[in-house]
Amino acid sequence: MNRILLVEDDENLAFGIEYTITSEGYTVIAAVSMEEARRALKTNTVDLILLDVNLPDGSGYDLCREIRATSQIPIIFLTALDEEANVVAGLDLGADDYMTKPIRTKELISRMKAVLRRNHKSKDEVREWRSGDIEVRVFERAVLKHNQELLLTGMEYRLVLMLMTHPKRICSRSSLLNHLWDMSGEFVDDNTLSVHIRRLREKIEDNPAIPKYIITVRGVGYKWNAEVIGR
């Protein structure tokens, strides 16, 4: 299930978009300002951002620039400005697409699906993820530390991959549980997740009691606290 961050301060428009994309099976996290969007990104794993250009506390262009400094989450701008210069400005900042208001909901859904497909494909094309002394070889479904393969369960492997592909961003416990359940088809409860994290730390970390990779964000979830390079 894809999670969409909708950053739009027009209450009526936001309600209509949220209703439409929720009915298509997406989960929506709503924000009405740049500050709310920043908080949402710190506490949620997001697959795509619908971003209004004119926000009450600043420009969506500035928020896009901030996001692109650390993340490649797909972004679609929503704006009343349709001049070519504004379109180009948004795309030059790293946006994936651009829609002018009034928003045609069927077209929006179509564009969202296209952007998500492209992003999914680009992640699939990554053969290897590296972070410090940890290496994930995607095609081999193998995780290595100091070039020695670690014996991970399928659930532990999926946890590593999700955390590493969202480096330095908090993955909430609920998003991890939903992701693991969707990927494995097995029900995963909160206590089971804690056990998997503990066992994974015992294999990944030099000192599980003082982890440097998998950090607990108390009351929220976990994050991979190191730079990651994909190739």
Side-chain angles (χ1 to χ4, degrees):
M1 181 185 297
N2 287 305
R3 296 168 67 85
I4 312 300
L5 174 59
L6 172 61
V7 189
E8 171 59 65
D9 65 328
D10 183 322
E11 185 176 337
N12 291 331
L13 177 59
F15 176 82
I17 292 175
E18 182 172 355
Y19 177 84
T20 299
I21 63 181
T22 299
S23 67
E24 290 288 325
Y26 298 97
T27 298
V28 178
I29 303 161
V32 299
S33 66
M34 291 176 64
E35 189 56 37
E36 281 191 16
R38 291 187 187 105
R39 289 199 297 268
L41 288 169
K42 287 180 180 178
T43 57
N44 295 275
T45 300
V46 174
D47 298 294
L48 184 146
I49 301 171
L50 299 177
L51 178 57
D52 186 19
V53 169
N54 294 313
L55 295 168
D57 55 348
S59 168
Y61 292 143
D62 292 333
L63 183 58
C64 179
R65 188 180 292 107
E66 288 179 24
I67 293 167
R68 279 293 171 264
T70 59
S71 171
Q72 292 301 313
I73 303 170
I75 296 173
I76 298 177
F77 272 121
L78 309 178
T79 181
L81 306 172
D82 62 353
E83 290 87 351
E84 183 179 358
N86 293 304
V87 174
V88 171
L91 297 177
D92 282 348
L93 287 170
D96 296 82
D97 206 344
Y98 200 105
M99 284 197 68
T100 55
K101 301 174 183 178
I103 301 297
R104 295 173 292 278
T105 53
K106 288 186 178 180
E107 181 182 353
L108 175 62
I109 293 296
S110 178
R111 288 177 180 245
M112 286 171 54
K113 289 179 178 178
V115 168
L116 287 166
R117 279 197 303 270
R118 291 198 299 269
N119 186 61
H120 181 70
K121 182 179 179 182
S122 66
K123 282 192 175 182
D124 285 348
E125 290 172 348
V126 175
R127 300 184 179 188
E128 186 179 286
W129 298 94
R130 284 183 175 271
S131 181
D133 52 25
I134 305 299
E135 175 186 350
V136 177
R137 296 177 182 172
V138 177
F139 289 169
E140 300 172 29
R141 290 181 63 86
V143 179
L144 296 83
K145 180 176 181 178
H146 298 305
N147 294 318
Q148 297 295 315
E149 186 171 355
L150 302 175
L151 297 178
L152 303 186
T153 66
M155 198 72 73
E156 290 166 352
Y157 173 80
R158 288 189 285 274
L159 262 175
V160 169
L161 201 57
M162 182 172 184
L163 290 168
M164 284 186 70
T165 53
H166 298 82
K168 296 193 174 183
R169 290 206 15 244
I170 300 170
C171 294
S172 68
R173 294 183 69 89
S174 60
S175 66
L176 287 169
L177 289 167
N178 289 335
H179 177 78
L180 293 174
W181 191 2
D182 286 346
M183 292 293 290
S184 68
E186 304 171 13
F187 175 72
V188 183
D189 63 23
D190 201 60
N191 289 332
T192 304
L193 175 60
S194 298
V195 171
H196 285 305
I197 290 288
R198 176 174 56 79
R199 290 178 177 171
L200 184 56
R201 280 184 175 141
E202 290 172 354
K203 300 174 183 181
I204 292 284
E205 305 284 358
D206 292 331
N207 183 353
I210 311 175
K212 69 175 184 178
Y213 291 115
I214 303 172
I215 304 298
T216 299
V217 182
R218 193 169 300 279
V220 181
Y222 305 94
K223 68 176 178 178
W224 188 270
N225 199 41
E227 296 293 338
V228 177
I229 298 174
R231 61 185 188 184

